[in-house]
Amino acid sequence: MAILALIVLVLVLTGIAAVAYAIRARNMQTWLWGYLTRRRPRAAGGPIHVMFCFVDHFEPAWGKVDLSTQRARVDRWCADYRRLADRHRDADGRPPQHTFFYPEEEYLDEHLTKLAALCAEGYGEIEIHLHHDNDTPDNFRTTIDRFNRLLHERHGALPVDPETGQLRFGFIHGNWSLDNSRADGRWCGINNELILLRELGCYADFTLPSAPSDTQTSTSNAIYYATDDPHRCKSHDKGVPVRVGGNASGDLMIVQGPLGLNWRERRMGIVPRIENSDVRKACPPTPVRVDAWVDTGIHVEGRPEWVFIKVHTHGTQERDMDTLLGDAAHVMHDHLEQAYNDGDRYVLHYVTSREMYNIIKAAEAGETGNPDAWRDYSLPPPPNRSS
């Protein structure tokens, strides 16, 4: 009996060690406890409005390919996305919206001209993406300011703040390394990046979640304001939740996508997958995942009946294009429109990142009713797109 008990003890300890190793290997220790202990208030009465936003780290030159390959990638998106989106509509009669976060370091006029034409037809908007390493504040300012003006003046992208006249933009950081958040210090170099982004006109950051990267914050499944400490990295690890009746607090709004554990689509039927809002061939947007995104219930505190879903991809990688532009994407949109757009329990709204931000600000200000009315609440559409 004693030997049996010892064997059981060894097996239990081995299992615990294996779980601990798996958690560490995926950097889950950063966010898992907060995820497991998070309490989400449920909406009481009336329909739940679902704001669905698809953001894309859109990198035509990914893999350092030649110009003909870049052109083929952009051309496929401009052709196939029209066909995809034209088959779908939300409660407001609008097609799915795709926000192209375009990398400054890959700028090519002809690519942006094609994307701008797609967006002008009502299929999405263009925002800013940046990969940099060992950067300086002065160079960062110059780079972002120049790219802002180029996108706006040449391609009609980015809104103008009606109160200040400043160009405003959404941001996704390359390599997930917002505010110098990698443990090894690579792919950024700036500890006051949140301050710089605010000063340059960034309305919100859409980088997260970044799990299993070590850049993932301990805060998850949240919309919050982060305050920069210019003397340390990863200042956005925690912040002040955006709430109804609150005021902007800190340097930058952080809009996170769903993060958690997917127990229904386990690896080998045993190990739960990390649900990190990433959409690609290896992790297609199945109805099970869509249900999990909605159930996560990311919202402005005090307004749980407005749910914000932000998912992301790297859209120009050939291995993933059939998923993003083909049957798997249709399955995702069909499920959204059938399960979350009955007008009674759920109402679906396809939004760009700018529109999502505007609806968040409307919720913060205490606005009610149909969120569709608040798509342009704070920031108007960019010049190449009508309201």
Side-chain angles (χ1 to χ4, degrees):
M1 184 66 69
I3 293 176
L4 178 61
L6 181 60
I7 292 173
V8 170
L9 178 61
V10 169
L11 290 175
V12 169
L13 292 176
T14 300
I16 292 173
V19 170
Y21 175 80
I23 289 173
R24 282 282 177 181
R26 299 181 184 184
N27 294 303
M28 294 170 65
Q29 73 280 0
T30 302
W31 57 270
L32 185 60
W33 179 249
Y35 163 73
L36 293 174
T37 57
R38 174 177 177 261
R39 293 189 300 172
R40 177 169 65 85
R42 298 281 178 174
I48 295 174
H49 290 269
V50 177
M51 270 58 70
F52 184 80
C53 178
F54 208 140
V55 304
D56 191 342
H57 306 215
F58 194 81
E59 303 164 4
W62 175 81
K64 299 181 180 179
V65 297
D66 59 23
L67 181 56
S68 64
T69 303
Q70 296 179 40
R71 285 172 173 159
R73 291 169 170 177
V74 175
D75 288 345
R76 179 173 181 188
W77 263 93
C78 290
D80 288 4
Y81 192 76
R82 286 177 171 91
R83 287 192 284 267
L84 168 72
D86 285 347
R87 280 181 47 181
H88 300 277
R89 289 294 184 273
D90 66 6
D92 313 305
R94 301 177 83 236
Q97 299 295 298
H98 204 79
T99 306
F100 299 90
F101 283 78
Y102 196 96
E104 182 275 339
E105 70 279 2
E106 291 187 17
Y107 175 78
L108 197 63
D109 181 272
E110 65 177 272
H111 298 341
L112 266 302
T113 296
K114 292 172 183 176
L115 289 182
L118 178 68
C119 293
E121 294 175 26
Y123 295 104
E125 295 180 14
I126 298 167
E127 300 289 354
I128 291 181
H129 188 31
L130 179 70
H131 301 83
H132 61 152
D133 191 18
N134 196 29
D135 207 348
T136 66
D138 286 345
N139 184 66
F140 183 81
R141 284 181 183 276
T142 299
T143 299
I144 296 296
D145 181 64
R146 180 181 61 239
F147 197 43
N148 277 353
R149 288 185 284 106
L150 180 62
L151 289 179
H152 183 74
E153 294 168 6
R154 190 166 182 85
H155 302 288
L158 307 186
V160 176
D161 192 308
E163 295 185 2
T164 67
Q166 184 181 30
L167 290 178
R168 305 294 300 278
F169 64 97
F171 186 71
I172 288 179
H173 200 295
N175 305 110
W176 314 110
S177 305
L178 180 66
D179 202 45
N180 216 18
S181 54
R182 272 178 64 109
D184 62 5
R186 293 297 307 278
W187 310 120
C188 184
I190 305 173
N191 284 344
N192 62 334
E193 194 166 38
L194 305 185
I195 293 173
L196 294 173
L197 285 166
R198 170 179 55 79
E199 292 176 347
L200 288 161
C202 183
Y203 60 78
D205 176 84
F206 295 85
T207 303
L208 297 164
S210 61
S213 167
D214 61 3
T215 61
Q216 174 61 43
T217 55
S218 60
T219 301
S220 63
N221 299 307
I223 302 169
Y224 61 104
Y225 291 111
T227 298
D228 207 339
D229 180 346
H231 302 294
R232 69 179 182 90
C233 61
K234 206 176 186 179
S235 296
H236 58 296
D237 189 60
K238 298 182 183 298
V240 177
V242 179
R243 56 174 54 92
V244 174
N247 295 306
S249 171
D251 292 302
L252 191 63
M253 180 188 289
I254 308 294
V255 180
Q256 297 185 329
L259 175 63
L261 298 176
N262 182 347
W263 289 93
R264 295 179 61 187
E265 296 175 325
R266 299 185 296 273
R267 296 180 186 276
M268 299 176 291
I270 300 173
V271 182
R273 299 175 184 269
I274 294 178
E275 173 53 72
N276 61 0
S277 311
D278 190 11
V279 177
R280 57 179 65 206
K281 180 180 179 180
C283 41
T286 61
V288 166
R289 294 188 70 199
V290 173
D291 293 343
W293 297 338
V294 176
D295 189 60
T296 300
I298 296 175
H299 64 281
V300 172
E301 287 197 357
R303 186 58 49 76
E305 69 274 17
W306 289 9
V307 172
F308 297 89
I309 300 172
K310 176 187 68 72
V311 298
H312 66 268
T313 193
H314 288 73
T316 62
Q317 300 179 18
E318 282 81 5
R319 63 193 176 196
D320 301 320
M321 285 192 192
D322 287 344
T323 297
L324 299 169
L325 296 167
D327 290 344
H330 285 301
V331 168
M332 174 186 72
H333 289 299
D334 285 342
H335 189 64
L336 280 165
E337 291 155 18
Q338 293 164 12
Y340 298 105
N341 198 33
D342 59 10
D344 181 23
R345 296 179 61 239
Y346 295 97
V347 182
L348 175 66
H349 308 276
Y350 290 130
V351 296
T352 65
S353 62
R354 177 191 60 86
E355 292 169 336
M356 177 173 274
Y357 166 78
N358 279 332
I359 295 170
I360 291 168
K361 293 299 288 185
E364 182 182 46
E367 305 290 359
T368 58
N370 187 348
D372 180 57
W374 313 121
R375 290 177 185 268
D376 303 324
Y377 181 76
S378 177
L379 298 176
N384 73 348
R385 180 175 173 136
S386 60
S387 177

